[in-house]
Amino acid sequence: IFTFGGNPKIGLIPTAYVDFGVLPSVGLYFFADDAFVAHNHVRVHFGTWGPDWLNIGVADRYDVGKDSTAGVRASWSRRSDYPFFGLGPNSREGNQSRYAATIFDAGPTYELGLAPGIRLNTSVGVRTASFGEGSCCNDPTLQEGVRNGAFTAPPRFADGYAIGYQRAEL
């Protein structure tokens, strides 16, 4: 919507996120092509729905060939409106509760154009997550559901986790 530098090389776009069952958000998406040097592409997204719903993502990519880019990306989010219904066959819609999560994800990426309209995207990274008491929409917290015996706490809820991963998409 707001572009600068011709073609457009730099821009700022308002965003909105709406999904049934969780809080919406509004934010801004910033892009800059040829940002620091030629063939360098920077992307930044920020979204929020108040202090309990924050999300920021940053990507810095560089064209390494006619049909390929290499880059790094990182994201951090904190939300308190994630729904939880229980685990496995004992999960019930009537047991809906909420929890909070803080997630950090970062790593390198590589994208290769194989043919017109066909791309291979690869990435590796590390993701950390911590969980806590969340609230939204007049639902009880997950911890209240555990205390009331509606379900047991999910694995790793108390401790969070850190994990390495790899991904390839065609």
mmCIF file of all heavy atoms in Angstrom, residues 92-126:
data_model
loop_
_atom_site.group_PDB
_atom_site.id
_atom_site.type_symbol
_atom_site.label_atom_id
_atom_site.label_comp_id
_atom_site.label_asym_id
_atom_site.label_seq_id
_atom_site.Cartn_x
_atom_site.Cartn_y
_atom_site.Cartn_z
ATOM 1 N N ARG A 92 -12.412 -33.440 24.393
ATOM 2 C CA ARG A 92 -13.814 -33.078 24.195
ATOM 3 C C ARG A 92 -13.915 -31.584 23.912
ATOM 4 O O ARG A 92 -13.242 -30.778 24.548
ATOM 5 C CB ARG A 92 -14.640 -33.385 25.449
ATOM 6 C CG ARG A 92 -14.534 -34.793 25.960
ATOM 7 C CD ARG A 92 -15.599 -35.666 25.316
ATOM 8 N NE ARG A 92 -15.586 -37.001 25.868
ATOM 9 C CZ ARG A 92 -14.900 -38.021 25.361
ATOM 10 N NH1 ARG A 92 -14.173 -37.850 24.293
ATOM 11 N NH2 ARG A 92 -14.946 -39.211 25.906
ATOM 12 N N GLU A 93 -14.771 -31.212 22.976
ATOM 13 C CA GLU A 93 -14.954 -29.794 22.669
ATOM 14 C C GLU A 93 -15.419 -29.022 23.897
ATOM 15 O O GLU A 93 -15.042 -27.880 24.105
ATOM 16 C CB GLU A 93 -15.968 -29.627 21.528
ATOM 17 C CG GLU A 93 -16.001 -28.219 20.996
ATOM 18 C CD GLU A 93 -16.828 -28.099 19.731
ATOM 19 O OE1 GLU A 93 -16.966 -29.084 18.994
ATOM 20 O OE2 GLU A 93 -17.349 -26.989 19.495
ATOM 21 N N GLY A 94 -16.209 -29.669 24.740
ATOM 22 C CA GLY A 94 -16.690 -29.020 25.955
ATOM 23 C C GLY A 94 -15.618 -28.767 26.989
ATOM 24 O O GLY A 94 -15.846 -28.045 27.953
ATOM 25 N N ASN A 95 -14.443 -29.366 26.838
ATOM 26 C CA ASN A 95 -13.339 -29.165 27.773
ATOM 27 C C ASN A 95 -12.401 -28.050 27.334
ATOM 28 O O ASN A 95 -11.279 -27.972 27.820
ATOM 29 C CB ASN A 95 -12.513 -30.455 27.909
ATOM 30 C CG ASN A 95 -13.237 -31.515 28.689
ATOM 31 O OD1 ASN A 95 -14.198 -31.238 29.392
ATOM 32 N ND2 ASN A 95 -12.784 -32.747 28.561
ATOM 33 N N GLN A 96 -12.810 -27.210 26.417
ATOM 34 C CA GLN A 96 -11.909 -26.185 25.889
ATOM 35 C C GLN A 96 -11.327 -25.335 27.000
ATOM 36 O O GLN A 96 -12.048 -24.842 27.864
ATOM 37 C CB GLN A 96 -12.620 -25.287 24.885
ATOM 38 C CG GLN A 96 -11.690 -24.237 24.297
ATOM 39 C CD GLN A 96 -12.281 -23.532 23.101
ATOM 40 O OE1 GLN A 96 -13.036 -24.108 22.355
ATOM 41 N NE2 GLN A 96 -11.930 -22.278 22.937
ATOM 42 N N SER A 97 -10.014 -25.192 26.959
ATOM 43 C CA SER A 97 -9.298 -24.326 27.881
ATOM 44 C C SER A 97 -8.272 -23.540 27.069
ATOM 45 O O SER A 97 -8.144 -23.737 25.869
ATOM 46 C CB SER A 97 -8.627 -25.159 28.971
ATOM 47 O OG SER A 97 -7.668 -26.018 28.385
ATOM 48 N N ARG A 98 -7.547 -22.672 27.715
ATOM 49 C CA ARG A 98 -6.555 -21.829 27.025
ATOM 50 C C ARG A 98 -5.217 -21.911 27.727
ATOM 51 O O ARG A 98 -5.130 -22.096 28.938
ATOM 52 C CB ARG A 98 -7.010 -20.365 27.002
ATOM 53 C CG ARG A 98 -8.341 -20.123 26.334
ATOM 54 C CD ARG A 98 -8.261 -20.362 24.843
ATOM 55 N NE ARG A 98 -9.582 -20.242 24.238
ATOM 56 C CZ ARG A 98 -9.803 -19.860 23.009
ATOM 57 N NH1 ARG A 98 -8.788 -19.575 22.216
ATOM 58 N NH2 ARG A 98 -11.026 -19.783 22.540
ATOM 59 N N TYR A 99 -4.162 -21.746 26.948
ATOM 60 C CA TYR A 99 -2.815 -21.680 27.494
ATOM 61 C C TYR A 99 -2.021 -20.630 26.731
ATOM 62 O O TYR A 99 -2.384 -20.204 25.642
ATOM 63 C CB TYR A 99 -2.123 -23.043 27.459
ATOM 64 C CG TYR A 99 -1.764 -23.532 26.070
ATOM 65 C CD1 TYR A 99 -0.488 -23.324 25.553
ATOM 66 C CD2 TYR A 99 -2.696 -24.203 25.288
ATOM 67 C CE1 TYR A 99 -0.146 -23.776 24.284
ATOM 68 C CE2 TYR A 99 -2.365 -24.662 24.028
ATOM 69 C CZ TYR A 99 -1.100 -24.455 23.535
ATOM 70 O OH TYR A 99 -0.773 -24.899 22.289
ATOM 71 N N ALA A 100 -0.919 -20.203 27.331
ATOM 72 C CA ALA A 100 -0.022 -19.225 26.713
ATOM 73 C C ALA A 100 1.233 -19.947 26.237
ATOM 74 O O ALA A 100 1.639 -20.954 26.810
ATOM 75 C CB ALA A 100 0.355 -18.146 27.717
ATOM 76 N N ALA A 101 1.835 -19.424 25.177
ATOM 77 C CA ALA A 101 3.092 -19.968 24.668
ATOM 78 C C ALA A 101 3.974 -18.827 24.173
ATOM 79 O O ALA A 101 3.489 -17.866 23.580
ATOM 80 C CB ALA A 101 2.842 -20.955 23.536
ATOM 81 N N THR A 102 5.257 -18.966 24.432
ATOM 82 C CA THR A 102 6.272 -18.078 23.879
ATOM 83 C C THR A 102 7.182 -18.955 23.029
ATOM 84 O O THR A 102 7.753 -19.930 23.534
ATOM 85 C CB THR A 102 7.065 -17.384 24.991
ATOM 86 O OG1 THR A 102 6.154 -16.634 25.803
ATOM 87 C CG2 THR A 102 8.113 -16.449 24.407
ATOM 88 N N ILE A 103 7.299 -18.610 21.739
ATOM 89 C CA ILE A 103 8.029 -19.448 20.795
ATOM 90 C C ILE A 103 9.072 -18.615 20.060
ATOM 91 O O ILE A 103 8.770 -17.521 19.575
ATOM 92 C CB ILE A 103 7.053 -20.088 19.788
ATOM 93 C CG1 ILE A 103 6.044 -20.966 20.525
ATOM 94 C CG2 ILE A 103 7.808 -20.898 18.734
ATOM 95 C CD1 ILE A 103 4.898 -21.445 19.667
ATOM 96 N N PHE A 104 10.288 -19.154 19.987
ATOM 97 C CA PHE A 104 11.365 -18.541 19.204
ATOM 98 C C PHE A 104 11.817 -19.567 18.173
ATOM 99 O O PHE A 104 11.988 -20.741 18.485
ATOM 100 C CB PHE A 104 12.540 -18.143 20.104
ATOM 101 C CG PHE A 104 13.722 -17.652 19.332
ATOM 102 C CD1 PHE A 104 13.725 -16.383 18.771
ATOM 103 C CD2 PHE A 104 14.835 -18.460 19.133
ATOM 104 C CE1 PHE A 104 14.811 -15.931 18.030
ATOM 105 C CE2 PHE A 104 15.921 -18.021 18.401
ATOM 106 C CZ PHE A 104 15.906 -16.756 17.853
ATOM 107 N N ASP A 105 12.016 -19.123 16.934
ATOM 108 C CA ASP A 105 12.388 -20.015 15.835
ATOM 109 C C ASP A 105 13.387 -19.281 14.942
ATOM 110 O O ASP A 105 13.135 -18.134 14.557
ATOM 111 C CB ASP A 105 11.134 -20.373 15.047
ATOM 112 C CG ASP A 105 11.337 -21.478 14.037
ATOM 113 O OD1 ASP A 105 12.459 -21.611 13.509
ATOM 114 O OD2 ASP A 105 10.376 -22.197 13.764
ATOM 115 N N ALA A 106 14.522 -19.915 14.627
ATOM 116 C CA ALA A 106 15.528 -19.249 13.793
ATOM 117 C C ALA A 106 16.363 -20.269 13.034
ATOM 118 O O ALA A 106 16.524 -21.405 13.484
ATOM 119 C CB ALA A 106 16.444 -18.382 14.645
ATOM 120 N N GLY A 107 16.887 -19.840 11.877
ATOM 121 C CA GLY A 107 17.790 -20.693 11.122
ATOM 122 C C GLY A 107 17.973 -20.219 9.693
ATOM 123 O O GLY A 107 17.328 -19.279 9.236
ATOM 124 N N PRO A 108 18.866 -20.894 8.961
ATOM 125 C CA PRO A 108 19.117 -20.549 7.554
ATOM 126 C C PRO A 108 18.092 -21.192 6.620
ATOM 127 O O PRO A 108 17.463 -22.197 6.956
ATOM 128 C CB PRO A 108 20.512 -21.124 7.303
ATOM 129 C CG PRO A 108 20.613 -22.270 8.245
ATOM 130 C CD PRO A 108 19.814 -21.877 9.464
ATOM 131 N N THR A 109 17.954 -20.607 5.439
ATOM 132 C CA THR A 109 17.047 -21.122 4.409
ATOM 133 C C THR A 109 17.766 -21.126 3.061
ATOM 134 O O THR A 109 18.724 -20.380 2.847
ATOM 135 C CB THR A 109 15.781 -20.247 4.280
ATOM 136 O OG1 THR A 109 16.158 -18.934 3.856
ATOM 137 C CG2 THR A 109 15.034 -20.154 5.594
ATOM 138 N N TYR A 110 17.275 -21.959 2.161
ATOM 139 C CA TYR A 110 17.768 -21.980 0.790
ATOM 140 C C TYR A 110 16.593 -22.308 -0.119
ATOM 141 O O TYR A 110 15.813 -23.212 0.175
ATOM 142 C CB TYR A 110 18.883 -23.018 0.606
ATOM 143 C CG TYR A 110 19.448 -23.021 -0.783
ATOM 144 C CD1 TYR A 110 20.301 -22.012 -1.212
ATOM 145 C CD2 TYR A 110 19.104 -24.008 -1.685
ATOM 146 C CE1 TYR A 110 20.813 -21.998 -2.502
ATOM 147 C CE2 TYR A 110 19.612 -24.010 -2.980
ATOM 148 C CZ TYR A 110 20.469 -22.998 -3.381
ATOM 149 O OH TYR A 110 20.963 -22.984 -4.658
ATOM 150 N N GLU A 111 16.457 -21.560 -1.197
ATOM 151 C CA GLU A 111 15.367 -21.754 -2.150
ATOM 152 C C GLU A 111 15.954 -21.869 -3.549
ATOM 153 O O GLU A 111 16.801 -21.068 -3.935
ATOM 154 C CB GLU A 111 14.401 -20.578 -2.079
ATOM 155 C CG GLU A 111 13.192 -20.723 -2.947
ATOM 156 C CD GLU A 111 12.214 -19.571 -2.752
ATOM 157 O OE1 GLU A 111 12.019 -19.124 -1.615
ATOM 158 O OE2 GLU A 111 11.661 -19.123 -3.771
ATOM 159 N N LEU A 112 15.475 -22.886 -4.304
ATOM 160 C CA LEU A 112 15.987 -23.140 -5.640
ATOM 161 C C LEU A 112 14.829 -23.317 -6.603
ATOM 162 O O LEU A 112 13.933 -24.122 -6.360
ATOM 163 C CB LEU A 112 16.857 -24.409 -5.642
ATOM 164 C CG LEU A 112 17.400 -24.884 -6.991
ATOM 165 C CD1 LEU A 112 18.356 -23.844 -7.580
ATOM 166 C CD2 LEU A 112 18.088 -26.227 -6.822
ATOM 167 N N GLY A 113 14.853 -22.559 -7.701
ATOM 168 C CA GLY A 113 13.865 -22.738 -8.755
ATOM 169 C C GLY A 113 14.285 -23.884 -9.651
ATOM 170 O O GLY A 113 15.363 -23.856 -10.241
ATOM 171 N N LEU A 114 13.459 -24.923 -9.726
ATOM 172 C CA LEU A 114 13.794 -26.105 -10.524
ATOM 173 C C LEU A 114 13.261 -26.010 -11.944
ATOM 174 O O LEU A 114 13.870 -26.521 -12.874
ATOM 175 C CB LEU A 114 13.246 -27.363 -9.852
ATOM 176 C CG LEU A 114 13.776 -27.636 -8.447
ATOM 177 C CD1 LEU A 114 13.047 -28.819 -7.830
ATOM 178 C CD2 LEU A 114 15.271 -27.871 -8.487
ATOM 179 N N ALA A 115 12.105 -25.398 -12.102
ATOM 180 C CA ALA A 115 11.446 -25.223 -13.398
ATOM 181 C C ALA A 115 10.412 -24.115 -13.208
ATOM 182 O O ALA A 115 10.112 -23.749 -12.073
ATOM 183 C CB ALA A 115 10.776 -26.527 -13.843
ATOM 184 N N PRO A 116 9.864 -23.580 -14.276
ATOM 185 C CA PRO A 116 8.837 -22.546 -14.100
ATOM 186 C C PRO A 116 7.698 -23.044 -13.196
ATOM 187 O O PRO A 116 7.104 -24.086 -13.443
ATOM 188 C CB PRO A 116 8.349 -22.280 -15.516
ATOM 189 C CG PRO A 116 9.503 -22.655 -16.387
ATOM 190 C CD PRO A 116 10.163 -23.821 -15.691
ATOM 191 N N GLY A 117 7.468 -22.328 -12.114
ATOM 192 C CA GLY A 117 6.395 -22.670 -11.187
ATOM 193 C C GLY A 117 6.735 -23.773 -10.199
ATOM 194 O O GLY A 117 5.894 -24.145 -9.381
ATOM 195 N N ILE A 118 7.952 -24.309 -10.218
ATOM 196 C CA ILE A 118 8.346 -25.379 -9.297
ATOM 197 C C ILE A 118 9.576 -24.917 -8.526
ATOM 198 O O ILE A 118 10.606 -24.602 -9.120
ATOM 199 C CB ILE A 118 8.639 -26.692 -10.042
ATOM 200 C CG1 ILE A 118 7.409 -27.149 -10.800
ATOM 201 C CG2 ILE A 118 9.102 -27.760 -9.056
ATOM 202 C CD1 ILE A 118 7.634 -28.372 -11.658
ATOM 203 N N ARG A 119 9.458 -24.887 -7.197
ATOM 204 C CA ARG A 119 10.551 -24.424 -6.345
ATOM 205 C C ARG A 119 10.814 -25.436 -5.244
ATOM 206 O O ARG A 119 9.895 -26.078 -4.750
ATOM 207 C CB ARG A 119 10.212 -23.079 -5.724
ATOM 208 C CG ARG A 119 9.928 -22.010 -6.798
ATOM 209 C CD ARG A 119 9.941 -20.606 -6.261
ATOM 210 N NE ARG A 119 11.229 -20.108 -5.869
ATOM 211 C CZ ARG A 119 12.218 -19.760 -6.687
ATOM 212 N NH1 ARG A 119 12.088 -19.902 -7.988
ATOM 213 N NH2 ARG A 119 13.334 -19.270 -6.217
ATOM 214 N N LEU A 120 12.060 -25.558 -4.849
ATOM 215 C CA LEU A 120 12.458 -26.362 -3.710
ATOM 216 C C LEU A 120 12.896 -25.400 -2.608
ATOM 217 O O LEU A 120 13.816 -24.616 -2.802
ATOM 218 C CB LEU A 120 13.615 -27.303 -4.078
ATOM 219 C CG LEU A 120 14.214 -28.100 -2.925
ATOM 220 C CD1 LEU A 120 13.182 -29.083 -2.367
ATOM 221 C CD2 LEU A 120 15.471 -28.823 -3.374
ATOM 222 N N ASN A 121 12.208 -25.457 -1.461
ATOM 223 C CA ASN A 121 12.542 -24.629 -0.301
ATOM 224 C C ASN A 121 13.073 -25.535 0.794
ATOM 225 O O ASN A 121 12.418 -26.522 1.150
ATOM 226 C CB ASN A 121 11.306 -23.886 0.221
ATOM 227 C CG ASN A 121 10.725 -22.953 -0.805
ATOM 228 O OD1 ASN A 121 11.462 -22.239 -1.462
ATOM 229 N ND2 ASN A 121 9.417 -22.953 -0.938
ATOM 230 N N THR A 122 14.230 -25.209 1.340
ATOM 231 C CA THR A 122 14.807 -25.992 2.429
ATOM 232 C C THR A 122 15.164 -25.062 3.581
ATOM 233 O O THR A 122 15.459 -23.880 3.374
ATOM 234 C CB THR A 122 16.077 -26.748 1.985
ATOM 235 O OG1 THR A 122 17.049 -25.797 1.549
ATOM 236 C CG2 THR A 122 15.767 -27.722 0.862
ATOM 237 N N SER A 123 15.121 -25.616 4.773
ATOM 238 C CA SER A 123 15.523 -24.846 5.946
ATOM 239 C C SER A 123 15.915 -25.801 7.056
ATOM 240 O O SER A 123 15.498 -26.956 7.091
ATOM 241 C CB SER A 123 14.394 -23.916 6.418
ATOM 242 O OG SER A 123 13.259 -24.654 6.796
ATOM 243 N N VAL A 124 16.754 -25.324 7.928
ATOM 244 C CA VAL A 124 17.079 -25.984 9.180
ATOM 245 C C VAL A 124 16.937 -24.919 10.246
ATOM 246 O O VAL A 124 16.954 -23.719 9.952
ATOM 247 C CB VAL A 124 18.504 -26.596 9.196
ATOM 248 C CG1 VAL A 124 18.636 -27.688 8.170
ATOM 249 C CG2 VAL A 124 19.555 -25.526 8.984
ATOM 250 N N GLY A 125 16.775 -25.352 11.469
ATOM 251 C CA GLY A 125 16.623 -24.340 12.493
ATOM 252 C C GLY A 125 16.524 -24.924 13.877
ATOM 253 O O GLY A 125 16.609 -26.131 14.087
ATOM 254 N N VAL A 126 16.320 -24.030 14.811
ATOM 255 C CA VAL A 126 16.073 -24.386 16.196
ATOM 256 C C VAL A 126 14.804 -23.662 16.642
ATOM 257 O O VAL A 126 14.563 -22.513 16.248
ATOM 258 C CB VAL A 126 17.276 -24.031 17.097
ATOM 259 C CG1 VAL A 126 17.529 -22.530 17.140
ATOM 260 C CG2 VAL A 126 17.096 -24.581 18.485
#
